[in-house]
Amino acid sequence: MKLKFTKMQGAGNDFVVIDGISQTIDFTPEQWRALADRHFGVGADQLLLVERSALPDVDFRYRIFNADGGEVEHCGNGARCFVKFVRDTGLTDKRSVRVEVQQGVITLTAREDGQVSVDMGAPILTPSDVPFDASGLEGRREGDDTLWPLDVAGKTTWISAVSMGNPHAVQVVENVDTAPVETDGPLVERHARFPRRVNAGFLQVVDKHQARLRVFERGAAETLACGTGACAAAVAGIRRGLLASPVAIETHGGTLTIEWDGAAGPVIMTGPAATVFEGTIEI
């Protein structure tokens, strides 16, 4: 079939966005991988599928496929691109839309200044719900957070386990430029303590309201930015007493602003979304 698509990016995290409302999409993992291939396909960190939602008072269903072809729960940078896409293509004229994801419903708002804000919902902090297997481990309290020891490459790495609808393991490092993202990232991603694998975040605190972040993403390797990773990192930093809302999270692809009250409220992420090009590919 000939597939119409739009290439988009949010802070350098790039996506193939597909309208699943005007065309029927039922791809295999192999086909998703082919689309994401940077040499033989369009190329992307993730692929986003726009569908109608069957839920009442919900505008769309938002599905995310990693470059390895696996479907995942959430993608924050993709969510910002999602709302720009549905507005630009005329699927809605609303400035704020409610969107169904695997773990619930989120609200996406296109702002007057061109930035997009996403209500990411409240973070999930109970280890078993992340999911993270903490059985037999002795945690260490730091502020309001509990740090957990992971055996990574023969050394103990202390992480915060956070879910933003998808699992994250956040560790604090002195300098993200020299952090072992390429070597330790894959080991954390597939650590046996995370039954669904995990996104491995490396967080450098600059001051109370500024941080730097690199993320080795589950199923996509390191990306230029990770929206849910920025949210998880801000939550971990705030709980540990290292950061305070709002937090400007600097990634290789740009800066995301994260707001969280430190209680049971939602995490709000604000950042850019841009269309790169549109096209058609035989798939």
Side-chain angles (χ1 to χ4, degrees), residues 53-59 98 100 105:
S53 175
L55 300 178
D57 301 319
V58 175
D59 298 290
R98 285 167 49 80
E100 174 192 354
V105 176

Side-chain angles (χ1 to χ4, degrees), residues 10-280:
N13 198 185
D14 64 334
F15 309 97
V16 171
V17 188
I18 300 169
D19 177 359
I21 295 173
S22 63
Q23 54 189 343
T24 301
I25 306 297
D26 185 19
F27 290 161
T28 64
E30 291 75 20
Q31 288 174 307
W32 289 118
R33 284 200 297 273
L35 274 174
D37 191 290
R38 295 190 182 277
H39 299 287
F40 297 101
V42 180
D45 293 323
Q46 280 98 16
L47 307 110
L48 314 180
L49 180 59
V50 179
E51 296 180 333
R52 290 291 182 197
S53 175
L55 300 178
D57 301 319
V58 175
D59 298 290
F60 299 99
R61 184 185 182 198
Y62 166 38
R63 298 177 66 190
I64 307 106
F65 297 84
N66 274 343
D68 65 0
E71 185 169 5
V72 293
E73 305 93 339
H74 207 347
C75 175
N77 287 329
R80 297 199 313 278
C81 292
F82 186 102
V83 69
K84 178 173 174 58
F85 176 85
V86 295
R87 284 173 50 81
D88 288 354
T89 56
L91 291 173
T92 185
D93 59 2
K94 294 181 179 179
R95 189 165 290 279
S96 185
V97 295
R98 285 167 49 80
V99 174
E100 174 192 354
V101 293
Q102 276 193 18
Q103 302 293 327
V105 176
I106 59 174
T107 301
L108 321 176
T109 302
R111 303 188 341 178
E112 294 283 356
D113 62 2
Q115 297 275 294
V116 178
S117 292
V118 182
D119 180 338
M120 300 289 288
I124 297 168
L125 303 169
T126 303
S128 60
D129 294 335
V130 170
F132 170 66
D133 179 11
S135 60
L137 296 180
E138 184 174 345
R140 184 180 78 194
R141 292 293 292 179
E142 184 173 322
D144 294 327
D145 199 7
T146 298
L147 305 185
W148 299 101
L150 284 187
D151 182 4
V152 179
K155 63 182 184 296
T156 298
T157 298
W158 292 89
I159 61 101
S160 298
V162 181
S163 173
M164 292 305 310
N166 58 350
H168 292 267
V170 182
Q171 61 179 285
V172 173
V173 298
E174 289 188 7
N175 188 334
V176 291
D177 294 330
T178 56
V181 178
E182 295 90 349
T183 54
D184 288 8
L187 302 178
V188 175
E189 179 204 7
R190 296 181 177 274
H191 199 284
R193 292 280 179 179
F194 290 95
R196 296 181 189 169
R197 296 190 292 165
V198 72
N199 300 287
F202 297 77
L203 171 67
Q204 175 189 341
V205 175
V206 177
D207 58 42
K208 280 285 190 177
H209 295 283
Q210 185 176 358
R212 303 176 67 205
L213 180 71
R214 292 172 66 185
V215 179
F216 192 95
E217 290 198 46
R218 177 184 57 168
E222 184 179 7
T223 57
L224 291 179
C226 176
T228 57
C231 293
V235 166
I238 290 170
R239 281 171 54 81
R240 292 177 67 168
L242 303 174
L243 297 172
S245 181
V247 184
I249 303 280
E250 178 190 338
T251 71
H252 284 321
T255 300
L256 303 173
T257 301
I258 312 298
E259 301 170 76
W260 186 51
D261 63 10
V267 177
I268 307 298
M269 174 188 61
T270 301
T275 297
V276 182
F277 62 87
E278 298 176 344
T280 303

